Amino acid sequence: MGGLWRPACRRVTFYGWRWSHPGSPTRVAERVEPCLSTGRSGTGSAERGLRRLGTWRRPNPAPDLAVQPPRRPKSTNPFTRAQEDDWRRRNKTVLTYVAAAAVGMLGASYAAVPLYRLYCQTTGLGGSAVAGHASDQIENMVPVKDRIIKVTFNADVHASLQWNFRPQQTEIYVVPGETALAFYKAKNPTDKPVIGISTYNVVPFEAGQYFNKIQCFCFEEQRLNPQEEVDMPVFFYIDPEFAEDPRMVNVDLITLSYTFFEAKEGQQLPVPGYN
Amino acid sequence: MSTAMNFGSKSFQPRPPDKGSFPLDHFGECKSFKEKFMKCLRDNKFENALCRKESKAYLECRMERQLMAQEPLEKLGFGDLIDGKPEAKTNS
């Protein structure tokens, strides 16, 4: 029996589509009802299909069915076709959202560069982007007199350099915000002029970002003539903000360590640290 | 040398000095000032705050002999010593 009324169903719905206008969905529903009432695919899906047909307002199929729609639906059954169209519509919405999110991410990645720079300037992370380290800061800084810090000095020489390099004081007591002077001494005991270049290190590592050198003898080639001995000063201060950093509460000892290397032509200074 | 071998931690970045490098005092022109400063430090148990006049004198010697760029003393943190006597402690 199923085969008999099936074509009738199709014919009915065919008519229904042809005569439907945007304003008269109910006629379509009425015409379709006889084939629906036989319970072909279960009442639930039938009702859904009915509801979909009732709200289906596409003007496209009404006037001309001779023209094929651009995308041929997979089935000719109105209910599954409606469902497919609904899926297609939903897919398009989802696709639009995903495309918008992708474009948004691309824009965010471009915006990240100036935003990160701004963030680094405000927080000064890693000591690499520090704002306000100018001479006017030195002018205006106020020493924090209740926080005494002991600065010890260390001097090292690379194995190939034959200088006698040592600090002239073992330690010095400073407070943050106060400029201090310290001396190292270097002697060239050989008979040839030697050029050395130095670098420094500060321990503990986190205190290093507060240790500011106004002037010293590092990173530039220093030439010592044979048997010459010179005094090498270091003029530095500890940033007053050191006293306000909670991580530095237990730091009372800072060690400044200088290392001299021999400078040869075209040699790159091996900067300590792992970059 | 920085011995932080863990990848998570930041490595030490040595920073160049603000005003560059001191030229070497090959002729020992300011050696007497330096000796005065070192004697002051040894006498005062290496407290920097008590020897600031001597360090200021040393830097002035350097500036006079072109061993250091001329710089107003306030910018070197000696603002309170310019008049010749240290200011009374305003902050504790």
Side-chain angles (χ1 to χ4, degrees), chain A residues 125-128 130 133-136 138-143 145-146 148 156 168-175 178-183 185 199-203 205 208-220 222-225 228-235 237 247 257 259 261 270-275, chain B residues 1-7 9-35 37-38 41-42 44-52 54-59 62-63 67-81 87-92:
Chain A
L125 277 185
S128 48
V130 195
H133 269 278
S135 51
D136 42 325
I138 302 174
E139 244 183 303
N140 299 325
M141 68 183 179
V142 176
K145 294 213 191 276
D146 52 355
I148 297 180
D156 280 316
Q168 294 194 38
Q169 65 282 309
T170 45
E171 69 226 6
I172 199 170
Y173 293 91
V174 294
V175 294
E178 195 174 67
T179 51
L181 189 61
F183 285 94
K185 190 191 284 275
T199 182
Y200 76 102
N201 193 10
V202 178
V203 176
F205 166 71
Q209 67 192 71
Y210 294 104
F211 190 89
N212 305 304
K213 294 184 316 317
I214 300 171
Q215 203 160 0
C216 70
F217 52 88
C218 43
F219 303 116
E220 269 191 32
Q222 313 285 353
R223 183 194 165 98
L224 277 186
N225 293 319
E228 188 180 2
E229 186 172 39
V230 287
D231 300 314
M232 293 172 160
V234 181
F235 193 44
Y237 67 96
R247 291 177 303 163
S257 177
T259 308
F261 300 88
V271 173
Y274 300 93
N275 300 338
Chain B
M1 296 287 180
S2 168
T3 51
M5 299 260 334
N6 33 342
F7 288 109
S9 74
K10 296 171 272 209
S11 64
F12 179 74
Q13 304 277 356
R15 274 179 290 147
D18 293 342
K19 299 211 190 319
S21 176
F22 276 124
L24 283 187
D25 185 7
H26 287 281
F27 302 109
E29 290 162 10
C30 293
K31 197 162 176 144
S32 55
F33 292 90
K34 181 216 82 169
E35 290 297 340
F37 176 71
M38 294 305 299
L41 275 188
R42 271 180 235 122
N44 291 307
K45 295 197 284 251
F46 297 105
E47 278 211 35
N48 175 62
L50 304 170
C51 294
R52 292 186 64 229
E54 281 77 6
S55 61
K56 170 169 149 304
Y58 178 79
L59 292 175
R62 275 216 159 216
M63 281 195 259
L67 292 171
M68 183 173 165
Q70 290 277 353
E71 195 92 33
L73 289 172
E74 300 93 8
K75 292 214 193 290
L76 298 173
F78 293 116
D80 55 335
L81 294 181
E87 261 181 19
K89 291 195 181 130
T90 49
N91 305 348
S92 56

Side-chain angles (χ1 to χ4, degrees), chain A residues 59-127:
Chain A
N60 185 24
D64 230 349
L65 271 177
V67 177
Q68 285 290 343
R71 194 176 300 154
R72 204 140 185 267
K74 288 210 172 103
S75 68
T76 46
N77 187 319
F79 311 113
T80 51
R81 208 182 319 190
Q83 197 179 41
E84 276 163 25
D85 285 329
D86 191 39
W87 285 343
R88 219 171 279 134
R89 210 181 320 133
R90 259 194 264 157
N91 283 348
K92 260 191 229 161
T93 325
V94 170
L95 202 67
T96 321
Y97 276 122
V98 169
V103 170
M105 288 294 167
L106 199 70
S109 64
Y110 273 107
V113 173
L115 283 177
Y116 183 70
R117 222 176 277 153
L118 207 69
Y119 170 68
C120 271
Q121 269 179 2
T122 45
T123 59
L125 277 185

